[in-house]
Amino acid sequence: MPSVTTLCGSSPRRQGVESTALRRSMAGATCVLALRGEVTALALAEAEALGFQTDVRHGRLALGHRTDDLGVAAGIYAVLDGGDIHAWTSNEAFVASVVERWEPPKGRVCVRVERLGGRMKDSSTQTIARSLGGHLSDMACVIDLDRPEHVLRVVLDATSHHVGWGWDVPRTTREGVGARRAGERPFFRPVSLDPYLARTAVNLANGSRGGVLLDAMTGTGGFLIEGALTGQETVGMDLDPTMVDGAKANLEWAMDGRAHRASVVLGDATALASSLPASARGRITGLVLDPPYGRNSHGSHGPWDLLARVLASTTEVASPEGADCCLILPIAPITTADDGVVHDSTKVEPLHGSWEDVVALFEASAWSLRPERWSVRVHGSLARLILHATCAPPS
Ligand SMILES: C[S@@+](CC[C@H](N)C(=O)[O-])C[C@H]1O[C@@H](n2cnc3c(N)ncnc32)[C@H](O)[C@@H]1O
């Protein structure tokens, strides 16, 4: 019998700190990624920061070589081993191409077929699931819809008219995200970041780097919590003692007694050489920045001066191997490409200043701004611009 998947969340109180390893370790093997949401290009950049090597992308599907670290990615909906991506033609042709090259594992199996981005002409999830299920039965596989050991997942992507398939690799990232949304935490301020975006930023900045992640202006601890949940050594810092106490409370609430490697300190992000704990100095490999803006969050300097000072200060405490930075800036909503990319020609209007201020900021620093830019809409008058920069090791 066919089955269409619905993935459910569970309380973070029942989770362990997320393992960075996918349960079936096949690092380097070819796999299909089904990417979440509308900002597909950002989701893929996150996967690449975690070591995924992309061969090809079609809409919300990507084919490439995986690493064990993908288990912590926020932008991945499914990781599928041993499969492929095909241009859509028909139910029958698709089933024939799967059966030609699949290698069903031993044990209890089931088939799940689902759609991303709406309905694709002449496609039937039921026909595909029934047909693939029939072939599995013919091969003497045990079909078990309730407790399968292996799930053959098929993803019909209407955004690209392609279909991806493979054996599902279990992941935990989606679990508990709803329960740890900012409004659910003990300490809330309107500045709090969405956990998915915070997770993506943490992975972009420190994905496979392995040193210390610095959340230099931690506020309520949005990045800090995701760093802790992914098992990274993380330092959160804020100039405001109320934020420091609140971030600590949120961190302990999110971790619920489980061991972690995160801490929160009162300090000035423009003077990290003196305010960062000695154990983290010279070991920063990832910097995440969500600088103050608006009535709810006041910076210690003007917006560009503050950022310039924080970037300069971070180079003094960066690892000898260099560091990556993910900067999130509030901007007026803009039109992006279908995959969330902000084209070079698109006029970006930060809430404070101009795009030229951003360029000047990085040009005057030791950080190189990467060309890719992405945007996530917050509401009718606010969006977030996501930028990625790299600080080379000192020569
Ligand atoms: C937009 S909020 C960060 C929100 C955070 N990402 C969250 O999820 O809650 C910016 C924070 O920067 C802090 N801040 C401003 N200047 C600072 C400085 N020089 N050093 C450290 N923190 C600073 C503010 O106190 C504020 O909490």
Side-chain angles (χ1 to χ4, degrees):
M1 283 289 288
S3 164
V4 178
T5 317
T6 41
L7 295 173
C8 334
S10 66
S11 160
R13 284 156 202 285
R14 284 189 275 126
Q15 287 180 43
V17 171
E18 289 172 33
S19 164
T20 54
L22 293 164
R23 269 188 246 164
R24 282 194 285 158
S25 180
M26 289 180 58
T30 302
C31 73
V32 172
L33 301 186
L35 302 165
R36 277 187 74 245
E38 284 156 21
V39 192
T40 321
L42 177 59
L44 190 57
E46 181 196 21
E48 288 173 348
L50 289 164
F52 181 74
Q53 291 166 22
T54 309
D55 289 338
V56 64
R57 174 168 77 90
H58 296 284
R60 290 172 66 174
L61 301 170
L63 184 75
H65 299 267
R66 75 166 163 91
T67 61
D68 287 344
D69 287 347
L70 293 179
V72 299
I76 297 177
Y77 176 68
V79 180
L80 308 172
D81 268 345
D84 207 345
I85 300 175
H86 308 270
W88 178 252
T89 50
S90 67
N91 298 314
E92 296 70 26
F94 169 67
V95 169
S97 50
V98 172
V99 169
E100 195 179 276
R101 53 161 299 194
W102 68 2
E103 290 174 29
K106 292 194 170 37
R108 302 183 304 275
V109 298
C110 84
V111 181
R112 289 184 177 151
V113 185
E114 55 209 352
R115 299 182 185 281
L116 290 180
R119 203 184 154 74
M120 222 153 56
K121 196 167 176 286
D122 297 330
S123 65
S124 163
T125 55
Q126 286 216 347
T127 303
I128 294 171
R130 282 212 182 99
S131 184
L132 289 173
H135 280 286
L136 287 169
S137 290
D138 292 347
M139 296 170 83
C141 292
V142 180
I143 307 288
D144 186 332
L145 300 185
D146 299 323
R147 291 176 50 250
E149 290 167 275
H150 308 287
V151 175
L152 178 70
R153 193 181 290 270
V154 175
V155 182
L156 302 172
D157 177 24
T159 68
S160 65
H161 276 260
H162 278 73
V163 53
W165 64 277
W167 297 94
D168 209 21
V169 181
R171 303 170 61 253
T172 56
T173 312
R174 290 178 69 90
E175 293 174 10
V177 169
R180 69 173 188 273
R181 281 200 191 285
E184 307 293 323
R185 298 176 194 155
F187 178 72
F188 173 74
R189 288 288 183 277
V191 291
S192 304
L193 278 178
D194 166 68
Y196 272 124
L197 180 57
R199 171 68 64 97
T200 299
V202 159
N203 287 332
L204 264 185
N206 211 31
S208 54
R209 287 262 196 193
V212 178
L213 173 75
L214 174 62
D215 178 5
M217 297 186 276
T218 195
T220 64
F223 296 130
L224 173 82
I225 290 172
E226 301 307 317
L229 281 169
T230 52
Q232 302 187 47
E233 187 175 346
T234 307
V235 178
M237 177 180 290
D238 207 286
L239 202 56
D240 179 343
T242 309
M243 291 296 196
V244 170
D245 290 346
K248 277 183 186 163
N250 284 347
L251 174 66
E252 294 316 323
W253 171 85
M255 300 313 295
D256 195 31
R258 286 162 299 164
H260 60 78
R261 300 195 299 152
S263 58
V264 192
V265 294
L266 180 68
D268 184 349
T270 67
L272 289 165
S274 55
S275 51
L276 198 66
S279 60
R281 285 179 216 154
R283 296 182 56 231
I284 304 298
T285 50
L287 171 67
V288 270
L289 287 177
D290 174 25
Y293 71 97
R295 273 176 299 158
N296 298 308
S297 175
H298 300 287
S300 50
H301 302 76
W304 301 111
D305 186 28
L306 174 63
L307 277 175
R309 287 168 186 260
V310 175
L311 288 176
S313 185
T314 306
T315 58
E316 292 174 19
V317 292
S319 152
E321 285 113 59
D324 276 36
C325 165
C326 180
L327 168 64
I328 298 184
L329 284 178
I331 58 169
I334 47 173
T335 304
T336 65
D338 287 347
D339 60 2
V341 163
V342 178
H343 288 308
D344 291 351
S345 55
T346 303
K347 188 169 164 52
V348 170
E349 294 178 63
L351 291 199
H352 304 286
S354 65
W355 173 248
E356 287 66 37
D357 290 322
V358 179
V359 173
L361 168 76
F362 282 97
E363 278 180 358
S365 79
W367 296 78
S368 306
L369 188 58
R370 294 205 184 181
E372 312 86 43
R373 312 181 290 177
W374 309 272
S375 175
V376 178
R377 189 176 173 281
V378 181
H379 53 66
S381 52
L382 179 68
R384 295 191 199 280
L385 183 72
I386 295 110
L387 299 173
H388 187 181
T390 302
C391 171
S395 51

